Amino acid sequence: MLYELIGIVRPGHLAEVKEIALTAGQIILRNGGVVRGIANWGVFMLPRPITRAQMKHKSGHYFVMRYDASGAAHQDMRTTINLDPRVIRTAHVKLGDGKLESLAKFGNISWDMRAD
């Protein structure tokens, strides 16, 4: 299945974001999955303050990773990432229905800052 992970990491250190993305990617690859792309969206204000690991966060460093993996690999990566205290919030989305026709329409990860 094709999944997309949107992660929000505490801001301040880009090395932490890279390390978390590397950990997630290694779990996927170790379990026979494929990482299709990773995008760094940068630091943005959160919609509302979030308390995680006894710290209140008003902004976060966003990144996106799109990957193919089995359900077990996805659950393993999800559990590991959510246990990290540097991670403020994650969102995991299953894309498509597993058929080639629907998966072919998903291209590169993009972030369009223009208002339409």
Side-chain angles (χ1 to χ4, degrees):
M1 294 304 299
L2 177 63
Y3 294 98
E4 187 169 82
L5 159 70
I6 301 171
I8 307 172
V9 180
R10 65 183 181 192
H13 301 287
L14 183 59
E16 288 182 350
V17 179
K18 289 180 182 179
E19 185 179 330
I20 291 167
L22 177 67
T23 301
Q26 286 175 340
I27 292 169
I28 297 301
L29 294 174
R30 228 179 300 134
N31 289 305
V34 176
V35 176
R36 289 192 178 197
I38 298 175
N40 177 14
W41 284 355
V43 178
F44 293 97
M45 295 296 293
L46 297 171
R48 60 181 172 79
I50 297 174
T51 302
R52 176 71 194 248
Q54 299 180 354
M55 292 179 62
K56 192 171 207 172
H57 300 280
K58 294 182 180 178
S59 63
H61 195 120
Y62 288 71
F63 75 95
V64 178
M65 183 171 75
R66 192 172 289 166
Y67 58 94
D68 289 298
S70 66
H74 168 71
Q75 187 61 39
D76 185 24
M77 187 273 299
R78 185 177 181 157
T79 303
T80 304
I81 292 301
N82 287 331
L83 287 175
D84 194 330
R86 300 173 293 183
V87 177
I88 298 171
R89 183 76 39 102
T90 60
H92 305 266
V93 180
K94 183 171 80 169
L95 302 173
D97 57 2
K99 296 183 179 155
L100 186 59
E101 306 87 50
S102 66
L103 296 178
K105 69 180 179 180
F106 295 105
N108 294 332
I109 302 168
S110 63
W111 177 262
D112 191 4
M113 297 294 289
R114 295 176 290 154
D116 292 331

